[in-house]
Amino acid sequence: DAKTTQPTSMDCAEGRAANLPCNHSTISGNEYVYWYRQIHSQGPQYIIHGLKNNETNEMASLIITEDRKSSTLILPHATLRDTAVYYCIVRPTGFQKLVFGTGTRLLVSP
Amino acid sequence: SAVISQKPSRDICQRGTSLTIQCQVDSQVTMMFWYRQQPGQSLTLIATANQGSEATYESGFVIDKFPISRPNLTFSTLTVSNMSPEDSSIYLCSVEDAGGASGYTFGSGTRLTVV
């Protein structure tokens, strides 16, 4: 499985955009980038995923660099409820298990 | 997305005993996954459970300690056997959503404390 590198922690002011980086320099052509988050004492929650194009949904945007070696998850207007651990995961197509790294602990403050 | 019901939500158990955790899904799924999350740590995959075959265990996890059943396409159990305080963790099940590419759904977890 391709490895990912994320900062251990980040802070963000409420209402501002939160930009969470992820490095996946060994990603292969058939591997998707997935983002999940885990709010304290809950199971992980799916946020978004992409292969090579930028993606946007109601929760977030995913920006993948052209060489696919890194990506950024953007929460456009962070709220206090976005405080969580965010996991960036790469997963090959047809290979179905998710392997979690250490994630980024995002703290959104008033 | 699939909806998962995981039971129990928490338990406190005596060392040397066993606990069986249940995971019920509201739709048929091919694979179910069991994870462990030790205090303050990330999730670690224990095993992948296919219906009708033995579970596939990750390195460091063995069937004698974590037997898994998968009797049908909507249900699975994980047993934590002969527990010690080191088994105190959150245990979570997960399934791949229908269509695959949309992501995975996780249960709410079972918080286990072994005393």
Side-chain angles (χ1 to χ4, degrees), chain A residues 32 34 36 38 40-46 49 87 91 95-102 105, chain B residues 31 33 35 37 40-43 45 48 58 90 92 96 100-104 106-108 111:
Chain A
Y32 283 83
Y34 280 78
Y36 283 78
Q38 188 175 26
H40 183 62
S41 297
Q42 298 181 21
Q45 175 190 23
Y46 166 80
H49 75 284
Y87 296 99
R91 187 199 68 126
F95 190 67
Q96 296 167 309
K97 65 182 182 181
L98 288 181
V99 178
F100 285 77
T102 54
R105 188 173 298 274
Chain B
M31 290 188 174
F33 306 91
Y35 289 84
Q37 188 170 29
Q41 303 296 312
S42 181
L43 284 77
L45 182 64
T48 301
E58 298 296 308
I90 298 173
L92 301 107
E96 187 174 13
S102 62
Y104 295 72
F106 286 79
S108 54
R111 183 179 294 272

